[in-house]
Amino acid sequence: MIFDSYEAYRASDFKPRVCILGSGPAGTTIARKLGAAGIPVVVLEAGAREFSDESQDFYRGTTVGDPYFDLDITRLRFMGGSSNHWAGWCRVLDSQDFEPKAWAPDTGWPISRADIEPYLSEVHDILELPDFRPDVPISDDIRWVQLIKSPAVRFGEKFADELDRSKTIAVVLNTYATELAGDGKRVTGARLWSNGQDAGSFSADYFIVCTGGLENSRLLLWSNQRSNGGVVPNATALGRYWMEHPTFEGGNAILADYSEFEVDAVNEAFFSPTLAAMERLQIMNFGIRLIETPYAGVKSLIADLACTAPDAAEWVAYQLSQNLRCAAQLYVAWEQAPLASNRIELSKTDVDHAGVPRIELHWKKSPLERRTILEGLKLFGTTLIEKDLGRVRIMDWLAKSQDYPTDEELAGHHHMGGTRMGTDVTKSVVDANCKVHGMDNLYVGGSSVFCTSGECNPTTTITALACRLGDHLSKIITV
């Protein structure tokens, strides 16, 4: 059942056991799991069926620190959430991403990759993916990895008919939970805003916050402030350890033969480091995206390489005599270490139309991030030399320790952390089952529970974690 207002929903007399806030990949996946188990669930979606400027305005905020996207541009507020502008890139976090790294404090998860493996076949059906191929070693330091581009599933479109027909799932559009109330052990209710006005209070046995990697923290911070700590009783880490994937063009490559690498349907190849290389260099995970340069651009790249890297000129000259025709751009997206100083706060001066403080995002890249992209490109270049596959030229801004460019991608629009998973209540917000520490009936879904970011796009892992949470709740909630 889908309702366009809380008033219409209330008239239906539907009685849910579970309330999910948000209809993005996490919220919709959990709702479908619970509904299939016969557990009545209501999904409150702040937006409508389609995009609107009025709804999107609720997402305005400010960023303090490094240049970043406008906060009302980097996510979407309507049915299906930010899956509506998802590009479709899929890969699951590596096994090593779940493990602590001695050189990077506060890394490591309370679960392992094995804990989400049982749900990957279900995730493949949801995201319409073929099976992932195993990584292929290129050297002791670099491995070829597979990113799959799915049809970019829009959850609000793909599952609309199923949700509308469901007798156990009710989706209520244009309805925003402005705050949760709690007594330090349980959420006792929610305050709602629907179609531009206060819609009163709402209660359910369980609440699952799936409003996104920024809004999850915002809602819980505001709720905790309003309830004097009654919603997140252990709130030291709430809003903290927020992460993104910095993304920049880091260099170019001259290649002897582009066909040496397996490429995808758009002729791109992807590479990441081995754990041994990361440990040796004490860097984070990274992904290099190899994009073939059209032949017309190769000549200038060769000339530039010959001027800036004389040692490579001899190899290039030899390859030219062998009819060299290949060059590539090297785009790098990499893992940001979790830092408590990267955080979401509530604005002290600006509120949305419902009176909720807007977000103030504090975000800066650390020296470890800078070292990761530089050493990562050097590592890739060394591998190409050792295998006689090519030569790498690192961009001047990076090689000469200049500022990051401001006219490139900047980051991946990947919002992770803020309600991270863990066992230490001073450094995490939820436990291994995504339940808020100290609360009996409050859970969090989505990438805000990520402890570390890895190097890959988060949607596949978000969906796997949502399947796992839905399965867990289906076992503990009686119908």
Side-chain angles (χ1 to χ4, degrees):
M1 297 168 279
I2 300 178
F3 301 90
D4 289 323
S5 70
Y6 182 62
E7 183 179 10
Y9 162 77
R10 191 165 49 192
S12 73
D13 202 33
F14 183 80
K15 299 187 186 312
R17 295 291 312 282
V18 180
C19 176
I20 298 175
L21 307 178
S23 68
T28 296
T29 299
I30 297 167
R32 293 179 66 240
K33 292 281 284 189
L34 295 176
I39 298 169
V41 55
V42 62
V43 179
L44 302 183
E45 167 53 50
R49 294 174 189 261
E50 303 291 341
F51 175 92
S52 75
D53 290 332
E54 180 182 3
S55 179
Q56 201 65 20
D57 183 75
F58 280 82
Y59 277 172
R60 282 195 296 108
T62 58
T63 302
V64 178
D66 286 351
Y68 193 61
F69 311 108
D70 290 342
L71 298 188
D72 58 332
I73 299 299
T74 192
R75 56 236 170 93
L76 292 173
R77 191 177 187 264
F78 63 102
M79 188 173 171
S82 290
S83 73
N84 288 295
H85 66 188
W86 178 44
W89 291 111
C90 293
R91 181 175 170 81
V92 189
L93 286 175
D94 295 326
S95 295
Q96 64 200 34
D97 294 327
F98 290 88
E99 302 301 323
K101 298 175 177 65
W103 62 95
D106 299 324
T107 51
W109 293 55
I111 63 172
S112 69
R113 166 70 181 261
D115 290 301
I116 63 173
E117 287 281 352
Y119 303 97
L120 293 186
S121 61
E122 190 174 352
V123 170
H124 284 211
D125 290 339
I126 293 169
L127 300 181
E128 301 176 18
L129 301 174
D131 290 336
F132 284 104
R133 296 259 313 282
D135 299 343
V136 178
I138 302 299
S139 69
D140 290 340
D141 295 329
I142 294 292
R143 56 204 166 97
W144 173 93
V145 299
Q146 186 183 34
L147 264 74
I148 300 175
K149 193 166 187 181
S150 85
V153 171
R154 310 302 185 212
F155 279 67
E157 296 176 8
K158 177 173 180 175
F159 298 110
D161 289 344
E162 175 188 330
L163 295 171
D164 204 19
R165 293 192 305 268
S166 176
K167 301 302 182 184
T168 52
I169 303 171
V171 179
V172 187
L173 303 175
N174 303 298
T175 302
Y176 167 34
T178 59
E179 65 182 87
L180 301 177
D183 59 12
K185 293 184 178 179
R186 295 182 60 83
V187 171
T188 56
R191 194 76 190 176
L192 304 185
W193 180 271
S194 183
N195 285 313
Q197 60 185 359
D198 188 328
S201 59
F202 175 86
S203 62
D205 294 335
Y206 295 86
F207 285 84
I208 311 172
V209 179
C210 300
T211 57
L214 288 164
E215 292 297 310
N216 281 355
S217 292
R218 180 193 185 193
L219 173 61
L220 293 177
L221 283 165
W222 179 236
S223 299
N224 222 34
Q225 182 174 314
R226 295 277 289 174
S227 64
N228 296 313
V231 173
V232 185
N234 302 288
T236 304
L238 180 57
R240 295 186 176 274
Y241 301 98
W242 192 83
M243 300 165 289
E244 247 279 17
H245 287 136
T247 306
F248 293 89
E249 183 180 6
N252 309 102
I254 301 291
L255 302 172
D257 186 355
Y258 200 84
S259 65
E260 286 285 342
F261 306 117
E262 182 175 342
V263 296
D264 63 13
V266 294
N267 213 31
E268 296 178 359
F270 303 87
F271 305 88
S272 287
T274 62
L275 178 58
M278 294 166 59
E279 289 176 336
R280 186 178 75 250
L281 296 172
Q282 296 198 336
I283 59 176
M284 306 303 285
N285 205 349
F286 62 83
I288 291 178
R289 180 182 179 188
L290 201 71
I291 304 175
E292 188 174 17
T293 301
Y295 178 61
V298 175
K299 188 176 293 185
S300 62
L301 178 56
I302 291 173
D304 192 24
L305 182 66
C307 292
T308 58
D311 290 343
E314 183 177 350
W315 181 87
V316 171
Y318 171 77
Q319 294 296 334
L320 278 172
S321 69
Q322 303 299 310
N323 298 314
L324 175 74
R325 291 292 184 273
C326 305
Q329 299 168 286
L330 303 178
Y331 280 88
V332 189
W334 67 101
E335 179 179 17
Q336 182 171 29
L339 295 175
S341 57
N342 284 329
R343 65 196 186 277
I344 296 160
E345 292 187 353
L346 299 176
S347 172
K348 295 178 175 59
T349 59
D350 197 9
V351 300
D352 65 23
H353 297 304
V356 179
R358 296 186 185 275
I359 286 174
E360 184 177 274
L361 175 64
H362 293 252
W363 182 63
K364 286 185 71 69
K365 297 180 286 294
S366 75
L368 179 53
E369 276 85 74
R370 183 81 178 211
R371 189 167 82 244
T372 294
I373 182 177
L374 179 58
E375 295 300 326
L377 284 165
K378 289 180 180 178
L379 199 68
F380 186 65
T382 299
T383 290
L384 293 188
I385 291 171
E386 289 175 350
K387 300 297 181 180
D388 200 32
L389 295 173
R391 299 295 186 270
V392 166
R393 182 184 74 87
I394 295 173
M395 289 294 192
D396 286 346
W397 67 266
L398 184 55
K400 297 179 181 179
S401 299
Q402 297 170 354
D403 290 342
Y404 285 93
T406 57
D407 58 350
E408 293 193 19
E409 290 185 59
L410 300 181
H413 297 279
H414 302 156
H415 310 149
M416 299 163 286
T419 67
R420 70 198 308 252
M421 186 186 292
T423 56
D424 183 345
V425 298
T426 68
K427 293 185 177 182
S428 63
V429 176
V430 303
D431 66 14
N433 289 317
C434 297
K435 184 169 72 70
V436 172
H437 293 308
M439 298 294 283
D440 294 334
N441 67 340
L442 178 59
Y443 293 77
V444 181
S447 55
S448 69
V449 307
F450 282 24
C451 306
T452 52
S453 62
E455 57 82 16
C456 64
N457 304 54
T459 303
T460 315
T461 306
I462 289 171
T463 309
L465 288 171
C467 288
R468 179 174 178 267
L469 176 54
D471 191 49
H472 170 73
L473 291 172
S474 296
K475 294 173 181 175
I476 67 171
I477 298 174
T478 56
V479 179

